[in-house]
Amino acid sequence: MKQVEILVIGGGPAGLCGAINAAKAGAKVLVLERNQELGGQLIKQTHMFFGSEKQHASTRGVDIATILFDEIEESKNIEILKNATVLSIYDDGVVTAEIDGKYTKIRAKRIIVSTGASEKTLAFPNNDLPGVYGAGAVQTLMNVHGVKPGDNVLMVGAGNIGLIVSYQLMQAGVNVKGILDAAPTIGGYLVHASKVRRMGVPIYTGYTVKEAYGKDYLEKATIIKLDENWQEIEGTEEDFDIDVLCISVGLSPLGELLWQANCEMRYVGMLGGFVPVRTENLETTVEGIFVAGDVCGVEEATSAMVEGYLAGLMAASSLGYEMIDFEERREDYLQQLKSLRSGHVGDKIRAGLDQVTIKTEAAAI
């Protein structure tokens, strides 16, 4: 059985930042990543980030990934195992995983779960035709493998992801015929919507997909307008000749391991689904299990990274490893998260967090 001080499950932005901070504090860290590459969503993101200098504002996601990779490589306290799928977290703290095809047991003193989220889908006739993709799959094809998913695309979802991926498709020479969203207004930032509108792409709000068509692959899709009760309005159909239908209708936190570990979970729609109850220090109701990133509730990658730093700091501290400026760092991370969730854009996130955050004396200082 492999013995580790801190086990990080998931090598995306939250997990990498958690590992970096825990290692800086002096703890020995093992990171398990199920894919063959680290970085999660960062290696797909060619757009520049918002936020402050601390959150790598004006830096592209792929470049932020490189910065984190360099820090990981320089650390003597971090071990990385890729192609490693965690199977279970047992009551006695033992974690099992399949690593390069071999069944492995790991006993960790502390665990940081940063498993991220999965894409939601949309129900309509023929939604399983080849050519119907999730936005994450399209980003992987284009930005990781350099493969165009098709020639003519209809984007479903006008949130930040849908708008950003639409722009990236156009940069790759793909014809984006339109963007639609069932909501009456655009969900993403107006700066992203303005970019695609300036390039002549129409945005249809209050519309959904009625049906997709094709024999062996996607050839056409019909959209239809919705009324104020989200019911289809007959006679408002529009057809699009396309070979790609890109679905970007949100994410669901991947909390299966937390359920298995008996962490208290609550359904909070504003955070994407079932999320763990935790302290402001990101420790769950099971002592020694911390969380960070989209598994806590779907937000931007900037928030995931800050949560990762906080979780790494607190997991290491719980083992007796404390940086000289521990209190300053902790307060700084909490303030960064507060800032990222401020304003009208963060209303839903703040309301959702109020339902799952346990106030502690340490967090109240």
Side-chain angles (χ1 to χ4, degrees), residues 119-161:
E119 291 189 281
K120 293 180 180 178
T121 188
L122 191 64
F124 53 85
N126 298 317
N127 69 347
D128 58 348
L129 278 170
V132 180
Y133 293 95
V138 167
Q139 277 191 308
T140 301
L141 284 172
M142 288 194 305
N143 300 342
V144 179
H145 302 296
V147 175
K148 278 175 46 175
D151 296 313
N152 296 288
V153 177
L154 182 62
M155 176 66 66
V156 183
N160 283 327
I161 295 176

Side-chain angles (χ1 to χ4, degrees), residues 54-363:
K54 291 180 180 179
Q55 295 134 22
H56 305 285
S58 300
T59 306
R60 299 184 188 279
V62 290
D63 296 327
I64 296 172
T66 300
I67 293 169
L68 298 180
F69 295 161
D70 289 344
E71 289 194 65
I72 292 281
E73 193 171 333
E74 290 173 4
S75 176
K76 296 180 180 179
N77 287 346
I78 301 175
E79 179 184 1
I80 302 286
L81 293 178
K82 304 173 188 175
N83 195 25
T85 300
V86 174
L87 305 173
S88 57
I89 301 175
Y90 288 98
D91 292 343
D92 58 1
V94 173
V95 175
T96 63
E98 182 184 18
I99 304 174
D100 285 327
K102 296 182 179 179
Y103 183 76
T104 305
K105 289 184 178 181
I106 302 164
R107 185 178 292 280
K109 294 180 179 179
R110 299 291 184 271
I111 300 172
I112 299 175
V113 177
S114 52
T115 44
S118 62
E119 291 189 281
K120 293 180 180 178
T121 188
L122 191 64
F124 53 85
N126 298 317
N127 69 347
D128 58 348
L129 278 170
V132 180
Y133 293 95
V138 167
Q139 277 191 308
T140 301
L141 284 172
M142 288 194 305
N143 300 342
V144 179
H145 302 296
V147 175
K148 278 175 46 175
D151 296 313
N152 296 288
V153 177
L154 182 62
M155 176 66 66
V156 183
N160 283 327
I161 295 176
L163 296 170
I164 288 170
V165 174
S166 294
Y167 188 72
Q168 292 172 352
L169 282 161
M170 287 183 279
Q171 288 178 309
V174 177
N175 179 25
V176 178
K177 291 200 165 185
I179 302 170
L180 65 135
D181 200 299
T185 58
I186 295 168
Y189 296 140
L190 290 180
V191 63
H192 297 316
S194 297
K195 284 199 300 186
V196 295
R197 275 178 165 158
R198 282 197 299 268
M199 298 181 74
V201 177
I203 300 178
Y204 302 85
T205 54
Y207 275 83
T208 191
V209 179
K210 182 175 183 179
E211 188 169 355
Y213 305 90
K215 183 178 180 183
D216 298 317
Y217 54 86
L218 180 67
E219 298 175 33
K220 186 175 74 171
T222 299
I223 69 172
I224 188 167
K225 191 165 182 59
L226 302 174
D227 63 22
E228 62 274 11
N229 296 315
W230 305 84
Q231 299 300 307
E232 296 181 356
I233 303 174
E234 295 300 326
T236 62
E237 294 88 347
E238 292 190 43
D239 293 334
F240 290 83
D241 293 324
I242 54 173
D243 54 4
V244 173
L245 192 58
C246 187
I247 310 297
S248 178
V249 293
L251 303 170
S252 295
L254 284 169
E256 289 85 351
L257 291 173
L258 298 172
W259 283 102
Q260 205 174 46
N262 290 320
C263 298
E264 183 181 348
M265 307 288 284
R266 291 180 188 169
Y267 184 86
V268 182
M270 291 169 284
L271 299 179
F274 280 100
V275 292
V277 174
R278 69 279 195 166
T279 67
E280 289 189 11
N281 293 328
L282 300 178
E283 187 171 19
T284 68
T285 53
V286 174
E287 185 178 357
I289 297 181
F290 295 78
V291 286
D294 281 351
V295 72
C296 297
V298 177
E299 296 187 67
E300 301 293 325
T302 46
S303 298
M305 289 188 289
V306 178
E307 283 189 335
Y309 285 129
L310 178 60
L313 182 76
M314 300 312 300
S317 173
S318 69
L319 291 175
Y321 295 105
E322 280 196 8
M323 299 182 188
I324 296 175
D325 58 349
F326 167 79
E327 284 296 344
E328 292 178 18
R329 282 177 177 265
R330 178 183 164 281
E331 184 59 30
D332 180 51
Y333 297 139
L334 291 173
Q335 288 303 316
Q336 285 188 55
L337 290 170
K338 184 178 180 180
S339 176
L340 287 167
R341 295 160 177 164
S342 64
H344 176 68
V345 174
D347 285 348
K348 288 184 178 180
I349 298 297
R350 295 194 305 274
L353 291 173
D354 284 343
Q355 299 182 42
V356 292
T357 304
I358 303 169
K359 303 294 182 181
T360 63
E361 288 186 15

